Amino acid sequence: MRHFITTDDWSRDDLQAILDLASRMKADPLGSNALAGKSMALLFFNPSLRTRTSFELGIHQLGGKAITLNAGQDSWPMAFAEGAEMLGDEEEHVIEAAQVLSRYVDLIGIRAFPKFQDWSLDRQDRVIRAFAKYGSVPIVNMETITHPCQELALMQTLQERKGDMQGKKFVLTWTYHPKPLNTAVANSAVMIATKFGMDVTLLCPNEDYLLDERYMKAAEANAAAEGGSFTVSHDIEAAYDGADVVYAKSWGAIPYFGNWQAEKPIRDQYRHFIVDAEKMSRTNDGLFSHCLPLRRNVKATDEVMDAPYCAAIDEAENRLHVQKALLATLMEGNRP
Ligand code: CP
């Protein structure tokens, strides 16, 4: 069974094939019936604007049926711990839920963010891993501790705007946010940019904001395999100099996971990591992008968001096209 939980499980060639199919689908949005007679459950443990809309619409355009469930609201609260004595609020276990949904639908999408209390638990990604373990249909990651669909949309956008990205300088910059946010998009950004051979700089305030070693190591391995590089910088000007792409994201520092009151005064010192036009002027006519949602004038200024070099809206649109291509690929690849 082939799932789409992390791009680490997929080769560059396989991902490029999805991107190429996405471009063809973008040119002819109603030209494929790849999901005719098929259905997909979209299970959300967290809010969404883009992911829900683009999956529901994409499945419709492919001739399929989407069933969206907001876990704990219009489906039962669910337990995940193996061997749990279920005396709390949870009414059913993922063991049954995953099997039952698999009897109904052909694909299952999962959005399940970290709980933000204990990274050693969150890094197990146990919600989506449990659906993969107990379900019997392909599982699609709609954002957990990585966001691989966002990775595909980012790559489609970069290739549309700048062509082959091999050897291009890609900067992932940490930005301020008043709350600690998920590292998923940051993990994903370094993995996909290195997978496609870019020279990747992770710009962050200090060592506390490094990503989990799993993703740092994956980025290093990708860079070695694909002819790019992966470096860390705490020097804003040096990182922006000559960049072809600036990608912004905020995230909470992992050493302070679950202890956010202690992190906040540290994070508050780094509001100057905001992406602004002066920083962008150091780039090589660089693109700016972000996964959205984005707090204007906190993560990036109005001037950056409204500039022609901002590709965030293109990237959001491309979620639709890459996900359609992904679902068609998964149905084809998992055909009995
Ligand atoms: N980028 C993204 O996943 O957006 P939503 O959280 O609105 O789905």
Side-chain angles (χ1 to χ4, degrees), residues 44 47-52 111 113 142-143 147 150 185 291-293 319:
F44 285 92
S48 162
L49 184 148
R50 281 144 289 272
T51 303
R52 176 173 174 167
R111 166 163 286 201
F113 292 175
M142 302 195 304
E143 190 175 353
H147 200 350
Q150 196 74 48
V185 171
C291 62
L292 304 178
R319 289 287 304 278

Side-chain angles (χ1 to χ4, degrees), residues 25 32-40 55-66 106-107 323-332 335:
M25 288 181 159
S32 169
N33 266 327
L35 291 189
K38 306 290 183 189
S39 55
M40 180 169 185
F55 266 102
E56 287 191 1
L57 180 60
I59 292 162
H60 170 73
Q61 290 182 352
L62 292 172
K65 166 81 178 164
D106 302 283
L107 297 142
Q323 287 160 195
K324 287 172 66 180
L326 169 67
L327 299 184
T329 301
L330 284 172
M331 286 313 303
E332 186 62 30
R335 201 183 288 282

Side-chain angles (χ1 to χ4, degrees), residues 269-295:
Q269 295 170 37
Y270 296 108
R271 292 192 63 161
H272 60 285
F273 272 68
I274 187 171
V275 183
D276 58 27
E278 189 183 337
K279 294 187 185 80
M280 288 301 298
S281 71
R282 306 186 75 92
T283 67
N284 176 30
D285 198 17
L287 276 185
F288 169 76
S289 200
H290 186 280
C291 62
L292 304 178
L294 173 142
R295 294 193 185 210

